[in-house]
Amino acid sequence: MDGGIALVTGASAGIGRATTIAMARRGFHVVAVARRLDRLEDLAEEVRAMGCRMLPLALDLQDRGALDALPESLPVEWRDVDVLVNNAGLALGADPLVAGDPADWDRVLETNVRALMVLTRRLLPGMLARRRGHIINLGSIAARQPYPGGAVYCASKAAELALTRALSMELVATPLRVTSIDPGLVETEFSLVRFRGDSERAHRVYHDIQALQPEDVAEAVAWVATRPAHVQIGEMVLTPACQATTTLVHRGPFPA
């Protein structure tokens, strides 16, 4: 194929969907990974209308066998991934740790940490052999500023940030690049999933603020991925103008 190949996880909605479109606009062909095939097929039509190719890949990141089969399970022309965007992630609930459900912890850590590590491990050998590649991990300001009720999610994102930093050190003698992009409040399905479909509770998270939109984060991903080969953006933190920390948010209009 005449353009680079990007693989984006969590591509059926939110930041992942917007990132797939943003990367396609930069000329990348995209392997779009998510569980919901119907959404991926709708997205593929949009990407193909832009003159780029997209491979919908219905895959559950908790399916260890499916992850271990990559990239060999992809069609041959899609295996040489240049940019891996580890975007998929979730939080479940906002209970204190003492009231948490270990089954929820397993799902969060399996998706946010283990799947990221395995997918990175599976694609890195090819990148090293080709002497080109970029790992972009979607983190959160929660990695840097934990908050009550988010212990497990914050821990998962702190692990992502530590993994990113360590991997950058391990790859320092190679042309490969590693980046962590850590957003604050982004208006997506994140809170709806966290609160198990409680739309009213999810809506309150974003009430009376101008949160980041998925496209804002996607543009950051695409910008980082398209810097000259000698430029590495190691870490990027972005928040809406009304957010100073994970818990300090101004709601309503700014004072005159």
Side-chain angles (χ1 to χ4, degrees), residues 13-38:
I15 294 170
R17 187 182 194 283
T19 296
T20 298
I21 293 170
M23 295 295 280
R25 284 183 178 145
R26 268 67 171 192
F28 284 91
H29 305 292
V30 185
V31 181
V33 179
R35 290 179 294 110
R36 295 173 287 193
L37 182 59
D38 56 337

Side-chain angles (χ1 to χ4, degrees), residues 92-166:
L92 291 172
D95 295 322
L97 191 70
V98 70
D101 183 346
D104 287 344
W105 305 346
D106 288 344
R107 186 178 170 197
V108 169
L109 294 172
E110 185 83 11
T111 303
N112 295 9
V113 183
R114 189 184 187 282
L116 179 152
M117 291 192 295
V118 172
L119 195 49
T120 301
R121 170 67 180 86
R122 295 298 301 162
L123 295 183
L124 266 178
M127 292 181 175
L128 288 167
R130 296 187 298 275
R131 296 189 59 77
R132 69 175 189 274
H134 196 163
I135 308 294
I136 301 177
N137 296 325
L138 263 294
S140 169
I141 61 169
R144 305 162 187 270
Q145 301 161 357
Y147 55 89
V152 176
Y153 175 71
C154 294
S156 75
K157 290 303 178 180
E160 174 276 322
L161 184 58
L163 283 164
T164 302
R165 289 172 173 173

